[in-house]
Amino acid sequence: QVQLVESGGGLVQAGGSLRLSCAASGRTFSSYSMGWFRQAPGKEREFVVAISSGYSTYYADSVKGRFTISRDNAKNTVYLQMNSLKPEDTAVYYCAATGLPLPPRSYERWGYWGQGTQVTVSS
């Protein structure tokens, strides 16, 4: 069982930066693939970025070059550094974990979720 708690969301102007954190419980954090999804009002939850247990990273085209995912296994934490934010990045951001070695882009295949943190980018 994995419990996930996100932090770091907030309000930022377009072009600004935020860093989200996701703290995970459990002794097997290093074996999980970790990911970030987001959901805007009236839209489906969408894949943003993921990092495998082997530190391979996967990005949605919409965030490539602007967002960076990283993990610190000693702290059981995964981070999402978001730069050059745009109003269309506004959403609730969710941290997720899966035991699958290749992190899927479909949210249905992730087994563990945090409660979400709001990110609002003003124009």
Side-chain angles (χ1 to χ4, degrees):
Q1 192 76 4
V2 177
Q3 292 184 325
L4 306 172
V5 179
E6 302 101 331
S7 61
L11 173 64
V12 63
Q13 287 190 331
S17 298
L18 281 175
R19 189 175 84 151
L20 305 184
S21 299
C22 173
S25 65
R27 294 176 294 176
T28 58
F29 172 79
S30 62
S31 68
Y32 284 87
S33 292
M34 301 298 297
W36 291 92
F37 287 73
R38 65 188 181 188
Q39 189 166 19
K43 293 190 176 182
E44 268 208 354
R45 191 168 297 192
E46 67 171 356
F47 172 83
V48 176
V49 61
I51 185 168
S52 71
S53 58
Y55 293 87
S56 295
T57 56
Y58 309 85
Y59 292 88
D61 288 343
S62 59
V63 306
K64 276 181 185 175
R66 301 189 298 122
F67 290 11
T68 303
I69 189 171
S70 60
R71 65 189 299 162
D72 184 339
N73 288 343
K75 295 183 178 180
N76 278 16
T77 301
V78 62
Y79 303 98
L80 179 60
Q81 178 66 43
M82 303 186 293
N83 298 329
S84 301
L85 282 161
K86 305 175 181 179
E88 51 263 43
D89 294 318
T90 295
V92 177
Y93 282 70
Y94 295 92
C95 177
T98 178
L100 298 173
L102 182 63
R105 297 194 176 223
S106 171
Y107 70 86
E108 293 98 338
R109 299 183 65 194
W110 292 73
Y112 304 99
W113 293 91
Q115 81 287 353
T117 186
Q118 177 71 46
V119 171
T120 303
V121 185
S122 62
S123 56

